[in-house]
Amino acid sequence: MTYQTLETLRFDNRFIHELPADPETENYCRQVMRACYSFVKPTKVSQPQLIAYAKEVAEILNLTDEECESPDFEQVFSGNRMLKGMTPYATCYGGHQFGHWAGQLGDGRAINLGEVINQQGERWVLQLKGAGQTPYSRRADGLAVLRSSVREFLCSEAMYHLGIPTTRALSLTLTGEEIVRDMFYDGNPKLELGAVVCRVAPSFTRFGNFQIFSARRETDVLQQLVDYTIRTDFPHLGEPSPEVYLNWFHEVCQRTAELIVHWMRVGFVHGVMNTDNMSILGLTIDYGPYGWLDNYSSDWTPNTTDAEGRRYCFGNQSHIAHWNLAQLAQTIYPLIEKAEPLQSILDSYVKEFERGWRKMMSQKLGLNTFEPATDETLVTELLAILQLVETDMTIFYRQLALIDTEVESSSNINGVTLMEPIMDAYYQPTQLTNDNVKRINNWICSYIERVRHAGISNETRRMRMNSINPNYVLRNYMAQLAIDKAEQGDNSMINELLELLRYPYDEQSKKQEYAAKRPEWARHRAGCSMLSCSS
Ligand code: AMP
Ligand code: MG
């Protein structure tokens, strides 16, 4: 492979070449009609300082470490300097927020720099988040604080290494500016450090990018964007036609189902699954008030804005994805004008999610397949015992792998010995009453029986389970500790976590503290258990 320098990166900005632009080039907030994007330049910053970069993403762009560590790099990825071939723009989109149509939203704090074609011929869009106001900023400043940028940077890369579709993060840069933020919107504003993340993805197009045109009855522009998306990101579907639109919608449903199954596998809660935060490629996008389950709880949400309705809680994510897909179906209806096939594809999402979820659950348990006759009850009871007492999800599955299924289970059915390996997963051992212990033991016995019946050895099962049940996830308190340090000028923990999360399925002997339960102090601390949309 030949490496590139910043100067030799090859740009081919197809989105702006093929789709209609907003003719207005002044940067002020407005409604933008009949256009997919507006040209806008990032706001210059006073003192850019690179905090971290992801070498794997640099590699996608064929950039060396040396190039990433050069003074030019932080100038470019803070938005201070444009490279030859970059033509920055912000896209126009709408969306349903918390179930209500919100009208035009758009890239209010994201600016696309251009599309790089790498050595392998792949197309990757570069996008700065937090680079200043755009025509879509509404009443906000277009900026991002260090806290939210650290969270986006680390989680994007953590997701990638877990094997979950996601937008990527190339770099995290301080801007040298200070920004006023009222973190919980409760009248306590404070000054925070400004930062910019450079995100990288094949496309940042959201359901909302299509919705805005159907809401405005701009069907011709809608069709242009759909055709463009199919030709660019779904070329295997063939030339756009009503039939291809249906196949495309089907693929979007499938990808979305797969994505949510992954989130359920690792205990990830997105926190704001508005239709403008749904990627058309089925990527995890827009890391805001997201969170990771420590103790398993299906109705947990990290987002304080959603604390009452819990629309976007862990257990509701598949249902919400389905709701969002229904909005997308309505959006593209004018291009198809037949409701029945759209409805049946939408229905198939439910079946596909269910199938994927069952398969994933059986894999988490190290089984060969999901056998409805036995596993329906096994999994239902598992989810019940996980919520019976406070049980750490991540630790539970890792430790479950250690249970010996090659011994006769009946010998110690009444003792705690059977539970021994999973004791680490319990937050409050006093909650383990005799009845609870009995119920958990009963479940372990049926699990052992199930595994023995299938003839799976300890070794095979452990290998399988440890390759799908992570040992390390970006627990909320871990990100917060890295942020606390970075706010004091010490960026070491950001890089330490980035390295840790490169190998989430391994046992890293010097890093076992990060595989432990959430510490008690983090139970109610802001940033660890509660987050706002400004996160
Ligand atoms: P989110 O809830 O972060 O997905 O954002 C919803 C909408 O608000 C999007 O159109 C964002 O671009 C916009 N937005 C969020 N934060 C800001 C900000 N600080 N400045 C400008 N626009 C923002
Ligand atoms: Mg968003």
Side-chain angles (χ1 to χ4, degrees):
M1 182 177 69
T2 338
Y3 282 105
Q4 302 292 318
T5 63
L6 292 172
E7 310 306 324
T8 62
L9 282 177
R10 194 177 131 218
F11 287 92
D12 172 36
N13 304 328
R14 196 160 165 183
F15 192 90
I16 55 170
H17 286 141
E18 297 195 6
L19 293 168
D22 171 11
E24 176 63 84
T25 52
E26 285 300 308
N27 188 6
Y28 63 92
C29 290
R30 58 183 177 268
Q31 292 291 306
V32 173
M33 312 303 279
R34 299 193 51 78
C36 291
Y37 58 93
S38 307
F39 292 107
V40 60
K41 292 196 178 63
T43 303
K44 291 235 168 23
V45 301
S46 59
Q47 214 169 52
Q49 185 204 333
L50 181 70
I51 294 185
Y53 69 94
K55 61 174 195 266
E56 296 85 351
V57 186
E59 221 155 84
I60 290 176
L61 305 174
N62 316 116
L63 295 173
T64 59
D65 286 336
E66 196 187 350
E67 200 65 12
C68 297
E69 285 154 18
S70 70
D72 272 353
F73 185 89
E74 60 193 11
Q75 291 293 337
V76 170
F77 295 108
S78 61
N80 264 3
R81 225 198 95 195
M82 288 296 112
L83 295 172
K84 188 169 57 57
M86 284 180 171
T87 311
Y89 62 96
T91 73
C92 180
Y93 58 79
H96 282 88
Q97 297 185 314
F98 296 91
H100 304 283
W101 177 244
Q104 179 182 300
L105 299 166
D107 288 328
R109 58 169 163 177
I111 297 181
N112 301 282
L113 298 173
E115 301 166 35
V116 168
I117 307 291
N118 70 5
Q119 292 269 312
Q120 296 92 304
E122 300 162 342
R123 177 176 300 274
W124 291 91
V125 183
L126 308 184
Q127 182 184 80
L128 301 183
K129 183 164 175 182
Q133 282 176 325
T134 75
Y136 308 98
S137 297
R138 295 175 290 159
R139 273 175 294 281
D141 56 13
L143 303 174
V145 292
L146 178 61
R147 147 175 76 84
S148 67
S149 307
V150 169
R151 286 169 49 81
E152 170 124 24
F153 176 80
L154 284 178
C155 202
S156 310
E157 291 308 288
M159 289 298 245
Y160 167 75
H161 293 292
L162 283 164
I164 303 178
T166 178
T167 62
R168 305 293 301 275
L170 171 66
S171 59
L172 167 63
T173 312
L174 278 173
T175 59
E177 319 286 345
E178 289 193 309
I179 306 175
V180 183
R181 275 288 182 279
D182 186 353
M183 193 191 330
F184 287 109
Y185 316 117
D186 61 359
N188 288 303
K190 77 175 201 188
L191 276 179
E192 297 195 46
L193 299 174
V196 172
V197 169
C198 178
R199 309 198 284 195
V200 178
S203 158
F204 289 96
T205 302
R206 304 134 190 280
F207 291 9
N209 285 93
F210 303 95
Q211 285 185 288
I212 190 74
F213 301 119
S214 67
R216 289 172 170 167
R217 312 234 183 288
E218 296 170 355
T219 311
D220 53 335
V221 191
L222 169 69
Q223 182 168 358
Q224 283 184 65
L225 183 61
V226 171
D227 290 358
Y228 171 83
T229 302
I230 291 172
R231 289 194 179 111
T232 310
D233 297 306
F234 298 79
H236 52 278
L237 295 178
E239 266 305 285
S241 68
E243 194 192 329
V244 168
Y245 297 147
L246 287 171
N247 295 340
W248 173 63
F249 180 57
H250 193 188
E251 188 169 333
V252 176
C253 288
Q254 280 173 332
R255 289 190 190 207
T256 306
E258 275 166 34
L259 176 68
I260 311 296
V261 167
H262 275 298
W263 289 358
M264 302 311 283
R265 167 169 74 83
V266 298
F268 177 79
V269 189
H270 181 285
V272 210
M273 290 176 70
N274 292 333
T275 54
D276 54 302
N277 290 338
M278 296 291 291
S279 148
I280 202 69
L281 295 181
L283 308 173
T284 313
I285 192 172
D286 277 12
Y287 292 89
Y290 68 81
W292 296 80
L293 293 185
D294 290 308
N295 52 298
Y296 186 92
S297 164
S298 126
D299 71 356
W300 184 72
T301 173
N303 185 354
T304 48
T305 316
D306 194 27
E308 214 153 291
R310 299 193 179 263
R311 180 180 171 87
Y312 298 139
C313 70
F314 180 67
N316 216 24
Q317 297 189 110
S318 166
H319 167 69
I320 289 296
H322 186 229
W323 191 91
N324 289 340
L325 286 163
Q327 307 313 309
L328 184 63
Q330 284 210 6
T331 297
I332 60 171
Y333 173 80
L335 306 184
I336 296 159
E337 293 185 317
K338 282 194 212 113
E340 191 274 325
L342 280 169
Q343 185 60 51
S344 82
I345 294 169
L346 204 50
D347 294 342
S348 76
Y349 164 86
V350 179
K351 290 190 210 95
E352 268 162 45
F353 174 78
E354 192 62 25
R355 191 153 40 84
W357 185 80
R358 286 173 162 201
K359 183 168 168 219
M360 175 274 286
M361 287 305 290
S362 68
Q363 288 173 333
K364 280 185 86 66
L365 296 176
L367 304 173
N368 300 327
T369 53
F370 187 94
E371 302 283 352
T374 47
D375 301 347
E376 196 74 67
T377 336
L378 188 72
V379 166
T380 307
E381 178 63 6
L382 166 63
L383 299 185
I385 63 157
L386 280 173
Q387 297 186 86
L388 196 59
V389 295
E390 267 182 48
T391 313
D392 191 275
M393 174 180 169
T394 306
I395 298 176
F396 180 88
Y397 284 106
R398 284 299 281 208
Q399 295 298 113
L400 188 65
L402 293 177
I403 288 199
D404 187 350
T405 56
E406 288 173 10
V407 294
E408 285 293 336
S409 61
S410 51
S411 60
N412 44 18
I413 189 162
N414 293 319
V416 263
T417 39
L418 212 49
M419 274 178 72
E420 182 66 32
I422 58 170
M423 287 305 285
D424 262 359
Y426 295 106
Y427 278 91
Q428 305 193 56
T430 52
Q431 294 175 335
L432 289 168
T433 60
N434 287 344
D435 282 354
N436 289 340
V437 168
K438 210 156 143 197
R439 193 164 163 193
I440 297 167
N441 267 323
N442 278 338
W443 183 84
I444 298 174
C445 286
S446 32
Y447 174 59
I448 292 176
E449 240 169 74
R450 171 70 178 86
V451 172
R452 288 170 65 88
H453 185 72
I456 307 164
S457 70
N458 278 336
E459 196 191 343
T460 303
R461 188 175 53 89
R462 285 172 189 158
M463 195 194 58
R464 285 179 180 172
M465 290 174 77
N466 289 346
S467 65
I468 194 166
N469 298 320
N471 192 29
Y472 306 101
V473 294
L474 182 59
R475 291 174 185 270
N476 313 311
Y477 87 88
M478 286 161 48
Q480 189 56 43
L481 285 178
I483 292 165
D484 290 345
K485 287 193 175 168
E487 285 178 341
Q488 302 305 313
D490 172 3
N491 303 321
S492 58
M493 194 169 166
I494 297 172
N495 282 300
E496 182 190 1
L497 292 182
L498 178 63
E499 180 61 17
L500 174 86
L501 296 166
R502 285 193 164 113
Y503 311 99
Y505 299 101
D506 291 359
E507 313 273 337
Q508 301 179 37
S509 58
K510 296 203 181 87
K511 301 288 173 188
Q512 275 312 89
E513 67 194 278
Y514 293 128
K517 286 190 284 266
R518 168 200 62 212
E520 262 321 289
W521 61 259
R523 187 181 282 269
H524 299 298
R525 219 202 111 177
C528 300
S529 59
M530 304 166 281
L531 292 143
S532 69
C533 282
S534 84
S535 303

